[in-house]
Amino acid sequence: MSLPLPSNFVSCPGLFYPTSARDGILSRIRIPGGIITSQQLRAIANLADKFGNGSINITNRANIQLREITRDIPADVLALLQEIGLAARLPELDHLRNIMGSPTAGIDHSELIDTRPLMRELEYQMMAHADLVELSPKFSVCFDGGGSVSVATQANDIALIAVFIAGEVYFRLKLRVNADMDASYPFLDTGVILKPEESVSVVVGLAKVYLQNLLKNKSQNQSSISLNLYRKSHQPRLRDILDELGVAQFIQEVEFYLNRRLRRISLENNQDFQNHQTHQNHYLHLDIHHQKQKGFAYIGIVTPLGKLETKQIYELANIAQTHGDGTLRLTPWQNLIISDIPIQYIQEVSSKIRHLKLDYSVNNIYSALVACTGNAGCASSATDTKSHAVLLAEYLNRRITLPTPVNIHFTGCPKSCAQAAKGDITLLGMIREQEGGYQVYLGKGDNRFGRMIYDFLPFVEIPALLEKILLVYMAKSTYLNESFADFVNRYSLKQLQSMFE
Ligand code: SF4
């Protein structure tokens, strides 16, 4: 059963709004905060077996995508999914973006606050407001609890980032703005700080004021808002509204809506925030780690390119139910975590995971390898990114053991669906003289993908080149744990090219 598309629908499918792709129908299931129960996961595996291609994909917002669906999912099945909390009660809201949070919320030693109750509350509030259907389907929010596995730099319209100020936990309110789109940390700090208990109502206030301005724009038929080149949506994003109004004016309108003034802090001397920024390493979600709950551990599992076969899914659901707390956590890096495992069962769990042909080591190239759908499923793609990523991972895993993950991102076009942030190495698919190949970018740089080092290479040259690049990095990085981006950014392009020849 499919519903008529909402007026603002673009390319963000939900369960009730499946969309066509080159490889069949595509459907997306929202998993708020990426936290899913074993029962829910089994239901999704069942769906993938009955209607899809017998596999699922974890997305970079910790949603689940079903691909190659060949027939309509019947209304009674959708009702069952609503019953078990996998589909929105109000179908018209089902396409809204997942709320993002740190996948180690509540189990991380160093977090300042467990954000899970806040994510649940926000999800409940948003799903209760039918008028939010008019929001851009890309309206996105994240809660970062200030722990070691941070989502603070993930692409979101609104980021609430926990900090410690004068002995109390607050959330800093950051908003994404167009002017900073190419920066590695693309948010503007509003200077507003929120107590945890007021954070959800303020996010609802931000959504409502955004909505009011959308409707105002619609009624005035304004066309002055500039839209980003890579977006197909004609629905202005929150950042377009912020451009138009100015952040200060927008916050004032939120205060008017909430009927109270929001607390602000000087943006100078914000040492708390600076400290938080320098200590994050999101790859700590992989491998085995002690939890803050004594005697328990979590295991972060590498999910190659976000894909799992249903036979793996059923077994993972069983492991979480038998040895964990019956939930699994999907990560925005397209991996997953099983938590709350008593230490004495860790060996047993890890051997069951290996038995499923899955790994949990950060040294595995797949741990930080990302690829968009590619030309097998997307007409916009210049190359077969997924197959190329698999070939690259197999090649490198046989030859190299990295000391620390290096993020390699294959994207079939500049839209960059699979990863919004800059990668350590980005391979941008393109066609030259009817041949598919890749532009190669490294590190930070001012281009949205980093610094371009090679203008066009056919895929056959990529595995050996990347092997060379990674070997040079391992040989020449000057201090322990120097990141790949820090390493390449120390050199000019000419120096890098001569090192890699
Ligand atoms: S990044 Fe481009 S090619 Fe890849 S899935 Fe998105 S639209 Fe398609």
Short mmCIF file of all heavy atoms in Angstrom, two decimals, residues 65-85:
data_model
loop_
_atom_site.label_atom_id
_atom_site.label_comp_id
_atom_site.label_asym_id
_atom_site.label_seq_id
_atom_site.Cartn_x
_atom_site.Cartn_y
_atom_site.Cartn_z
N GLN A 65 17.25 0.67 5.10
CA GLN A 65 16.71 0.76 3.75
C GLN A 65 16.45 -0.64 3.21
O GLN A 65 17.29 -1.53 3.38
CB GLN A 65 17.77 1.42 2.87
CG GLN A 65 17.25 2.48 1.97
CD GLN A 65 18.38 3.13 1.18
OE1 GLN A 65 19.19 2.45 0.58
NE2 GLN A 65 18.39 4.45 1.20
N LEU A 66 15.29 -0.81 2.61
CA LEU A 66 15.00 -2.06 1.89
C LEU A 66 15.02 -1.73 0.41
O LEU A 66 14.42 -0.75 -0.02
CB LEU A 66 13.61 -2.59 2.26
CG LEU A 66 13.35 -2.92 3.73
CD1 LEU A 66 11.91 -3.41 3.90
CD2 LEU A 66 14.32 -3.98 4.22
N ARG A 67 15.71 -2.56 -0.38
CA ARG A 67 15.83 -2.29 -1.81
C ARG A 67 15.23 -3.44 -2.61
O ARG A 67 14.95 -4.51 -2.08
CB ARG A 67 17.29 -2.11 -2.21
CG ARG A 67 18.01 -1.01 -1.49
CD ARG A 67 19.28 -0.65 -2.23
NE ARG A 67 18.99 0.05 -3.47
CZ ARG A 67 19.00 1.38 -3.60
NH1 ARG A 67 19.28 2.15 -2.58
NH2 ARG A 67 18.71 1.94 -4.77
N GLU A 68 15.06 -3.17 -3.88
CA GLU A 68 14.57 -4.19 -4.83
C GLU A 68 13.24 -4.78 -4.40
O GLU A 68 13.01 -5.98 -4.53
CB GLU A 68 15.62 -5.29 -5.03
CG GLU A 68 16.91 -4.78 -5.63
CD GLU A 68 17.95 -5.86 -5.82
OE1 GLU A 68 17.59 -6.95 -6.30
OE2 GLU A 68 19.12 -5.62 -5.47
N ILE A 69 12.36 -3.94 -3.84
CA ILE A 69 11.02 -4.41 -3.47
C ILE A 69 10.23 -4.59 -4.77
O ILE A 69 10.25 -3.71 -5.64
CB ILE A 69 10.34 -3.38 -2.54
CG1 ILE A 69 11.13 -3.30 -1.23
CG2 ILE A 69 8.89 -3.75 -2.27
CD1 ILE A 69 10.65 -2.24 -0.29
N THR A 70 9.57 -5.74 -4.86
CA THR A 70 8.93 -6.05 -6.14
C THR A 70 7.42 -5.85 -6.12
O THR A 70 6.77 -5.85 -7.17
CB THR A 70 9.23 -7.51 -6.54
OG1 THR A 70 9.00 -8.32 -5.39
CG2 THR A 70 10.66 -7.67 -7.00
N ARG A 71 6.84 -5.72 -4.91
CA ARG A 71 5.37 -5.51 -4.88
C ARG A 71 5.01 -4.66 -3.67
O ARG A 71 5.81 -4.54 -2.73
CB ARG A 71 4.62 -6.83 -4.86
CG ARG A 71 4.95 -7.72 -3.67
CD ARG A 71 4.46 -9.15 -3.92
NE ARG A 71 5.01 -10.05 -2.94
CZ ARG A 71 4.37 -10.53 -1.89
NH1 ARG A 71 3.12 -10.14 -1.64
NH2 ARG A 71 4.94 -11.36 -1.06
N ASP A 72 3.80 -4.10 -3.68
CA ASP A 72 3.33 -3.25 -2.59
C ASP A 72 3.31 -4.00 -1.26
O ASP A 72 2.90 -5.17 -1.21
CB ASP A 72 1.90 -2.78 -2.89
CG ASP A 72 1.89 -1.38 -3.46
OD1 ASP A 72 2.97 -0.85 -3.76
OD2 ASP A 72 0.78 -0.83 -3.60
N ILE A 73 3.73 -3.35 -0.20
CA ILE A 73 3.60 -3.95 1.13
C ILE A 73 2.15 -3.76 1.57
O ILE A 73 1.66 -2.62 1.62
CB ILE A 73 4.58 -3.30 2.12
CG1 ILE A 73 6.02 -3.48 1.62
CG2 ILE A 73 4.41 -3.87 3.53
CD1 ILE A 73 7.08 -2.77 2.42
N PRO A 74 1.42 -4.85 1.86
CA PRO A 74 -0.02 -4.71 2.13
C PRO A 74 -0.31 -3.91 3.41
O PRO A 74 0.53 -3.82 4.31
CB PRO A 74 -0.50 -6.16 2.31
CG PRO A 74 0.61 -7.03 1.87
CD PRO A 74 1.86 -6.25 1.93
N ALA A 75 -1.53 -3.35 3.45
CA ALA A 75 -1.92 -2.48 4.58
C ALA A 75 -1.83 -3.20 5.92
O ALA A 75 -1.45 -2.60 6.92
CB ALA A 75 -3.34 -1.96 4.34
N ASP A 76 -2.20 -4.51 5.96
CA ASP A 76 -2.17 -5.19 7.26
C ASP A 76 -0.72 -5.36 7.76
O ASP A 76 -0.47 -5.32 8.96
CB ASP A 76 -2.90 -6.55 7.20
CG ASP A 76 -2.28 -7.51 6.19
OD1 ASP A 76 -1.79 -7.01 5.15
OD2 ASP A 76 -2.27 -8.71 6.44
N VAL A 77 0.22 -5.51 6.85
CA VAL A 77 1.64 -5.62 7.25
C VAL A 77 2.11 -4.26 7.79
O VAL A 77 2.79 -4.17 8.82
CB VAL A 77 2.52 -6.09 6.08
CG1 VAL A 77 3.99 -6.11 6.47
CG2 VAL A 77 2.08 -7.46 5.61
N LEU A 78 1.72 -3.18 7.10
CA LEU A 78 2.11 -1.84 7.57
C LEU A 78 1.49 -1.56 8.95
O LEU A 78 2.14 -0.97 9.82
CB LEU A 78 1.66 -0.78 6.57
CG LEU A 78 2.44 -0.79 5.24
CD1 LEU A 78 1.81 0.17 4.24
CD2 LEU A 78 3.90 -0.43 5.45
N ALA A 79 0.25 -2.03 9.14
CA ALA A 79 -0.41 -1.82 10.45
C ALA A 79 0.36 -2.57 11.53
O ALA A 79 0.54 -2.05 12.65
CB ALA A 79 -1.86 -2.30 10.39
N LEU A 80 0.84 -3.75 11.21
CA LEU A 80 1.63 -4.52 12.17
C LEU A 80 2.93 -3.78 12.50
O LEU A 80 3.36 -3.71 13.66
CB LEU A 80 1.93 -5.91 11.60
CG LEU A 80 2.66 -6.85 12.53
CD1 LEU A 80 1.73 -7.30 13.66
CD2 LEU A 80 3.18 -8.07 11.78
N LEU A 81 3.55 -3.20 11.48
CA LEU A 81 4.79 -2.45 11.71
C LEU A 81 4.52 -1.23 12.59
O LEU A 81 5.34 -0.87 13.45
CB LEU A 81 5.41 -2.04 10.37
CG LEU A 81 5.90 -3.19 9.49
CD1 LEU A 81 6.34 -2.69 8.12
CD2 LEU A 81 7.04 -3.96 10.15
N GLN A 82 3.36 -0.60 12.38
CA GLN A 82 3.00 0.52 13.27
C GLN A 82 2.85 0.02 14.70
O GLN A 82 3.29 0.66 15.65
CB GLN A 82 1.68 1.16 12.81
CG GLN A 82 1.83 2.03 11.58
CD GLN A 82 0.49 2.56 11.10
OE1 GLN A 82 -0.46 1.77 10.92
NE2 GLN A 82 0.39 3.85 10.89
N GLU A 83 2.23 -1.14 14.81
CA GLU A 83 1.96 -1.75 16.13
C GLU A 83 3.25 -1.97 16.93
O GLU A 83 3.31 -1.75 18.13
CB GLU A 83 1.26 -3.10 15.88
CG GLU A 83 0.36 -3.61 16.97
CD GLU A 83 -0.66 -2.57 17.39
OE1 GLU A 83 -1.31 -1.94 16.54
OE2 GLU A 83 -0.75 -2.40 18.60
N ILE A 84 4.31 -2.39 16.23
CA ILE A 84 5.56 -2.67 16.94
C ILE A 84 6.53 -1.49 16.88
O ILE A 84 7.71 -1.63 17.16
CB ILE A 84 6.24 -3.97 16.44
CG1 ILE A 84 6.60 -3.88 14.96
CG2 ILE A 84 5.37 -5.18 16.70
CD1 ILE A 84 7.47 -5.06 14.49
N GLY A 85 6.01 -0.32 16.52
CA GLY A 85 6.80 0.91 16.61
C GLY A 85 7.80 1.10 15.48
O GLY A 85 8.76 1.86 15.63
#
